[in-house]
Each structure stands twice: as structure tokens, then as C-alpha cells.
Amino acid sequence: MKRRYLAMMGLLIIFAMVLAACGGGPATPAPAAPAQPAAQEATPTTAPAQQEAAPAAPAAEGVINLTWVGPGPGAEFELRKEQVERWNAANPDIQVRLIEGPVSATDRIGLYLQAFQAQSTDIDIMQIDVIWPGDLAEHLIDFYEYGAAEAVAGDFPAIVENNTVDGRLVGLPWFTDGGLLYYRTDLLEKYGFDGPPATWDELEQMAQTIQDGERAEGNQDFWGFVWQGAPYEGLTCDALEWIYSSGGGTIVSHDKVITINNDAAAAALDRAYGWIGKISPPGVTSFMEEESRRVWHGGNAAFMRNWPYAYGLSEGADSAVAGKFDATALPGAEPGMSAATLGGWQVGVSKYSRNPEAAAKLALWLTSVEEQKAQALAPSSLIPTKVELYSDPDIAAQRPFMPKLLPVFTSAVARPSTATAPQYNETSNVFFSNVFEVLTGRMSGADAVATIELDLQDLLGFEVGAP
Ligand code: GLC
């Protein structure tokens, strides 16, 4: 606990420094921060909030200044910078300052919680992960009080429901996400496979065959399968897919039963451990999304588990796999048992903002049909939450995978955030920390699921049972 507290204080101090620096011009890059939350020694997190984009006009009479903590560095941050520039040019009375946020979702919620606990007015608008409405509701405004009912009428109802806590709409749906299997169409053909794997056994076999073949031809850096193995929220997503697609349940059920301690879940974790050093690089236990994508992007992996954002980037001019890949549903233990973890982001406004009305206006614009279409077509290829965009001709032409994979996204498996709120973040920490012990060879799958069960009983006080 002590280490965690110190790490979080580190985040807050860096954040405060950056906010202070932002007052008078471009921010000075902050020194590397101890940004890892509990049990995260190996996580390759970047220091948060290092850069300010599109400085807003200096404070002037009658001008409202808003601060938005945006995504971490990369294609999405570039997209958000461009949006802020357009907004600031069109809205001289509401000027927005965009600050780079942490890359890891786990670090990001740590930062928000610290700011909320201090009831800080420094952040007005923020990105809210699909798993956080229940944990963060008490600190966020109710968009229904700012005319959002009409705006969300065209969103997927399940996402609106997920963002509604005790009748309050605490997040505006922005983009949805689901775990996908990316695969090299050229290499599948080269090695005589008809199509992507339906089961984990098939994936292991294909990955090994392709890896052996490519290495024999001289590419010693080639790996069969890359994914997210660092101890952070992304590992919860990957491990939930392995477990659910093996019949091992969702850690905690909808009706608040702790179901993780079962043989299928234990076997799924042992299976993933078996990949490391064999078809997956030893370094996978420090990979977040971007580390896996880099291996893939360079043409050094046959398969990758990642979110839809990687699709557009993989088609980029600098990509070694452009025109040589596709994405599909992840495998399962048996054919048809595939599972995609439901991800996605919302826009939230802090209850402690001095200008909630202006921030709500910006949030409504960011999540509008027009902006969702733009971000679907941008290189980061973010999946819309507006139903009508799935029949949009431009999206159908330029992003055919979106309508094609709609069933994967709409049947995605939710993490147990509603059942465990407001303690989902701690639940996930317990889960990924123990899964990480398995991946690093310090615990068996069976010991890990038993430990998770005990820790969750302590934390949540729920009953235990079968999935
Ligand atoms: C993606 C998902 C988000 C998830 C995160 C984990 O950003 O949209 O829901 O928590 O990845 O790394």
C-alpha cells in the first residue's frame, strides 16, 4: 500500500507541475515518474501528462478556459490535438487546453482518483474507460442535466446503460472497442492454412509453423503471437478472453458471485504461460498495446491480439504489413467459444469543474456523429458508438472491417465492473497481479485462481460459486 501511495503521489506531483508549467507557454517535459501502481514493477509506463498541445488563448475577459486530459502519445493524441485546434478556432469563448495523459488505463485512473480526492478544479474534461462509470460516478456530472438525452438516442443502448449510474448519465459514449485477432493473410497462405484459427490449439500450431519457417528463412526476430502481458488493465482484458473462451467465466458474475476459482480458468492461464518463450517473446510480460503493435507493425509476428485502433495504423505507409493482414474474432478452447473483451471510452466532465456547462458542450461535440465519423476514418480507426455510422457509405468503403466485425463488438464480454463497483479498479488489480505471477512462472494457474478468489472475498465480501 505504501509503495502504491508513493507512486500515486508521484503522479499527482508531476501532473501539478505540468499544469503549473502550462500556465505560461509550452510545458517543460516532466522527469520520468515512478508511474507504476501496485505490483507493477515491470510495467513500461511513460510519465503522464508530459506535453501540452494547442495552447489555448491567454485568459481574456469573458473567455472560459477548459483543461482536457487527453490520451497518451501516439496517433490518438495527434487526432485529439487536431480536434482541439478546430474547436478553439470555432469557439473563441471556450478555449481548450489539451494535456497528454498516461498511456496505461491503470495509471490513468490513479491520476483521476488523486485529482478527485483533492476535489481539484484543474481537470474539466477527461476520457473515461468503459469499466469506470461505477467507480467514478460520484465525481462526474450528470449529462442529462445538460441536454444529453437527445444526443445519446442514437448510441448503442448497452453503452448508454453502462454509462448510467443510479439514473445519472456520467459519460457520453465516444468509441467502443473489442479484442481482435490480427493475422497475416500472406503468411497463412504461404504455409498452406485456409483461414485464421478457430481454437487456441490451432493458433498455437499455426504460430509455431509460421515462426519456424520464417526463422529458417533468416528472420530471427520473428514471433508467432504477440499480446499484452504487462501487469495493468490490458492484461485483465487479455486474460478475461483466455478464460471466458475456455468456459471459465468472468471472474465475478453479474449477480455478484466470485467465480474465478475453477479448472477451466486455471488451465487457460497455464496455457498462456506456455506460450512465453515459445510462440511469444519473453518480453511479452512487459508489453502493453503499443509494444505488441510495434512487433507486428515491423512484420515480425504472425498473429497479434489488439484493439481496432491497430487496424488503421497497420495500413499506414510505414507499416510492413499493409495489405497483408486482416482481423477477426479471437480463438476459443472449442470452435465457437471465441470471446472479445468489451472496451471503449466515454467523455466525462468533473463535478469539481468551474465550468461544467462549457465542458458538457465540448463533450457533446466530441462525441457527435460527425466527430465519431472523423475518428473512425482517421488513422487510429476508432469504432463508433452511433448505430447509424455502421451503414455510412464512407465507413463501409474505407473501414470495411467495422461493419463486418460488428457482431464481435456487440457480443463482447464485459469485465465485471458493474457488479464490483465502486471497487472494480481494485478487483482488476488483484486479478492482473496474480495472472502476472503465472506468466512470470511464480505461481501455477490453480494457485493463482485460488488466491484471486480469497483476495476478492476479502475485498468484496461476495459469495463464491461456479461460473
Ligand atoms: C483499451 C480499451 C479499454 C481497456 C484498455 C486496456 O483502451 O478500450 O477499455 O481498459 O484498452 O489497456
Side-chain angles (χ1 to χ4, degrees):
M1 264 333 271
K2 190 163 172 226
R3 186 167 61 229
R4 180 173 189 196
Y5 177 76
L6 289 174
M8 289 305 169
M9 283 312 287
L11 271 177
L12 195 65
I13 290 165
I14 299 289
F15 186 65
M17 279 167 49
V18 171
L19 281 178
C22 287
T28 325
Q36 289 94 335
Q40 282 223 25
E41 283 95 40
T43 312
T45 45
T46 9
Q50 293 183 330
Q51 192 193 337
E52 180 189 3
E61 191 82 24
V63 174
I64 292 172
N65 291 288
L66 298 177
T67 298
W68 169 15
V69 180
E76 197 193 334
F77 188 69
E78 294 306 312
L79 167 77
R80 303 303 174 207
K81 269 203 307 208
E82 182 271 325
Q83 283 180 306
V84 165
E85 277 158 24
R86 276 192 287 126
W87 171 274
N88 283 346
N91 296 274
D93 54 332
I94 304 175
Q95 291 291 293
V96 180
R97 175 171 66 167
L98 172 67
I99 292 178
E100 197 179 282
V103 178
S104 147
T106 304
D107 290 349
R108 177 177 291 272
I109 192 167
L111 173 69
Y112 291 172
L113 287 172
Q114 286 291 325
F116 285 146
Q117 268 151 26
Q119 306 204 348
S120 164
T121 54
D122 290 339
I123 310 177
D124 300 289
I125 188 161
M126 55 198 33
Q127 343 221 145
I128 304 292
D129 201 328
V130 68
I131 48 190
W132 297 339
D135 279 21
L136 300 183
E138 61 175 303
H139 304 290
L140 298 169
I141 66 158
D142 174 9
F143 282 105
Y144 284 136
E145 290 176 10
Y146 297 87
E150 205 185 318
V152 295
D155 283 297
F156 287 117
I159 303 182
V160 178
E161 192 189 317
N162 182 71
N163 293 354
T164 309
V165 181
D166 298 329
R168 302 171 66 245
L169 183 68
V170 299
L172 293 179
W174 202 12
F175 63 92
T176 185
D177 250 350
L180 296 176
L181 181 72
Y182 288 80
Y183 62 98
R184 289 282 297 275
T185 46
D186 59 331
L187 295 179
L188 255 54
E189 201 186 315
K190 178 171 167 188
Y191 291 91
F193 298 115
D194 294 340
T199 64
W200 292 114
D201 283 343
E202 282 171 18
L203 177 132
E204 287 167 7
Q205 237 174 29
M206 292 185 189
Q208 191 73 62
T209 305
I210 300 173
Q211 181 180 302
D212 291 347
E214 293 301 293
R215 289 199 185 177
E217 285 184 16
N219 184 357
Q220 292 309 315
D221 297 332
F222 196 91
W223 288 97
F225 183 34
V226 290
W227 38 279
Q228 293 78 47
Y232 78 118
E233 185 61 35
L235 178 55
T236 293
C237 298
D238 285 42
L240 176 63
E241 285 158 356
W242 311 329
I243 290 174
Y244 189 80
S245 71
S246 307
T250 56
I251 311 164
V252 174
S253 70
H254 290 306
D255 46 356
K256 300 183 190 273
V257 177
I258 299 164
T259 59
I260 185 63
N261 192 1
N262 65 79
D263 292 346
L269 297 182
D270 289 332
R271 180 197 281 277
Y273 174 57
W275 296 334
I276 300 172
K278 203 161 172 244
I279 55 169
S280 300
V284 78
T285 52
S286 63
F287 280 11
M288 297 197 289
E289 286 80 0
E290 279 295 85
E291 286 77 24
S292 21
R293 193 181 66 80
R294 261 178 230 126
V295 177
W296 163 262
H297 199 85
N300 291 326
F303 298 101
M304 168 176 73
R305 185 271 176 212
N306 216 325
W307 306 100
Y309 85 96
Y311 203 101
L313 295 172
S314 302
E315 284 179 330
D318 63 340
S319 163
V321 298
K324 299 180 186 166
F325 75 94
D326 206 348
T328 189
L330 285 155
E334 301 292 336
M337 285 177 76
S338 164
T341 294
L342 176 71
W345 291 83
Q346 341 301 313
V347 179
V349 168
S350 165
K351 208 171 84 177
Y352 313 108
S353 165
R354 290 201 186 93
N355 297 293
E357 189 150 357
K361 195 174 163 198
L362 170 64
L364 283 162
W365 177 76
L366 285 170
T367 55
S368 64
V369 175
E370 294 71 27
E371 291 307 306
Q372 286 206 10
K373 178 170 172 176
Q375 69 186 17
L377 299 178
S380 29
S381 57
L382 301 175
I383 302 279
T385 63
K386 305 282 182 199
V387 181
E388 66 172 274
L389 289 176
Y390 288 84
S391 43
D392 181 276
D394 297 325
I395 291 188
Q398 294 173 51
R399 294 282 181 244
F401 82 95
M402 291 188 183
K404 192 177 87 185
L405 294 178
L406 183 59
V408 175
F409 305 129
T410 49
S411 64
V413 184
R415 283 161 276 174
S417 53
T418 305
T420 62
Q423 284 165 307
Y424 171 73
N425 187 45
E426 284 169 81
T427 301
S428 181
N429 263 271
V430 165
F431 178 67
F432 70 62
S433 306
N434 284 289
V435 170
F436 188 70
E437 294 295 293
V438 178
L439 298 183
T440 47
R442 289 182 289 215
M443 235 190 225
S444 67
D447 286 346
V449 294
T451 308
I452 297 166
E453 179 184 71
L454 274 178
D455 288 357
L456 292 186
Q457 277 179 286
D458 278 354
L459 176 69
L460 303 166
F462 296 171
E463 297 292 306
V464 302

